[in-house]
Amino acid sequence: MQLIYVGDPMCSWCYGFGNILTELTETRPDLPLKIVVGGIRAGATDILDDAGKRFRLQHWTRVEKASGLQFNRKGFLAREGFIYDTEPICRAVVTARAFAPGQNPLPLFCTLQRAFYMDARDTTATDVLVEVAAGALADSGLDVSKQAFRDLFESDSVKQATQADFALARSWGISSFPSLLVEDRGQLQLLAMGFTSLDILNNRLNKVLGERAFAAA
């Protein structure tokens, strides 16, 4: 039995959901977490104009109120010629997964989120992603060089694996990020689609676990 989180590090509601999911996983150590990246704007090619920035800032304000997390608006507004393509950051998550298949993927996911939302770094740039992700892996105790991370990040196999994640999320009918599912013996059950409070998640998860225990009795 495991939890499956479908999200995108450059989705603002996923950023707001980070602390909630972290607390949930810390109180449920018996339930491993798997992350499937959704690619909310994967492959985008349009330059984000002022109207697009203002639109996102409206979302950020709502996320900030709901989650209490802060955003670096000044750094975001100052960026010129920015293409909001989330494929590279999703690919960084998939790359890290290959280096650390048995580790909880959430800390690295959250580190990438903070790099974009708090540090105002360009997380569409390969150099930035390599530095942040390889550093996060090193902090977790893995000896992964920046060059090794870059080589795998730029490989066809990881590009294909990232696209496979996008396709898998679509095949499950996921239309909103973040989404959280529980998988039990190959069967999926949706716990949340969209930002959801910890209390609601715990109530839903307790119901699933209770039904599982009843069926096994």
Side-chain angles (χ1 to χ4, degrees):
M1 193 172 188
Q2 66 177 343
L3 296 171
I4 301 177
Y5 173 40
V6 185
D8 189 305
M10 287 171 67
C11 155
S12 58
W13 283 108
C14 295
Y15 172 59
F17 190 59
N19 285 349
I20 292 172
L21 185 55
T22 296
E23 188 169 349
L24 179 69
T25 56
E26 287 175 348
T27 58
R28 308 275 183 165
D30 54 319
L31 290 177
L33 178 71
K34 174 183 177 181
I35 291 182
V36 173
V37 287
I40 192 170
R41 277 182 57 84
T45 58
D46 54 309
I47 293 176
L48 194 64
D49 58 14
D50 289 341
K53 290 178 181 178
R54 289 194 297 271
F55 174 76
R56 278 158 184 82
L57 290 182
Q58 292 174 2
H59 280 283
W60 290 13
T61 298
R62 291 197 290 271
V63 175
E64 199 169 54
K65 289 180 179 178
S67 69
L69 294 178
Q70 295 183 331
F71 291 80
N72 187 337
R73 291 174 172 81
K74 185 179 294 185
F76 179 67
L77 289 171
R79 180 169 293 129
E80 298 292 339
F82 181 61
I83 297 175
Y84 207 116
D85 177 12
T86 68
E87 189 277 341
I89 198 169
C90 287
R91 185 158 30 109
V93 174
V94 175
T95 305
R97 184 170 71 201
F99 279 113
Q103 284 195 4
N104 180 358
L106 188 57
L108 178 130
F109 192 92
C110 292
T111 296
L112 289 168
Q113 289 177 312
R114 288 192 295 271
F116 178 64
Y117 286 109
M118 281 298 297
D119 301 334
R121 303 195 67 180
D122 183 358
T123 51
T124 68
T126 297
D127 287 348
V128 171
L129 291 171
V130 168
E131 179 185 344
V132 173
L137 289 175
D139 290 342
S140 71
L142 290 174
D143 184 16
V144 178
S145 70
K146 292 180 181 179
Q147 188 59 53
F149 192 94
R150 180 187 293 271
D151 289 345
L152 190 58
F153 174 79
E154 294 178 340
S155 69
D156 289 340
S157 63
V158 165
K159 291 176 181 178
Q160 292 165 6
T162 305
Q163 294 298 323
D165 265 33
F166 299 160
L168 183 59
R170 290 193 298 269
S171 74
W172 288 338
I174 300 298
S175 59
S176 180
F177 304 137
S179 287
L180 188 65
L181 306 96
V182 60
E183 181 182 26
D184 182 20
R185 289 166 289 194
Q187 299 297 311
L188 293 174
Q189 187 165 338
L190 185 66
L191 292 178
M193 185 177 290
F195 183 87
T196 306
S197 72
L198 182 61
D199 286 344
I200 291 175
L201 285 176
N202 272 316
N203 288 339
R204 291 175 180 172
L205 188 53
N206 285 334
K207 182 179 179 182
V208 170
L209 294 173
E211 290 172 350
R212 185 176 191 264
F214 180 79

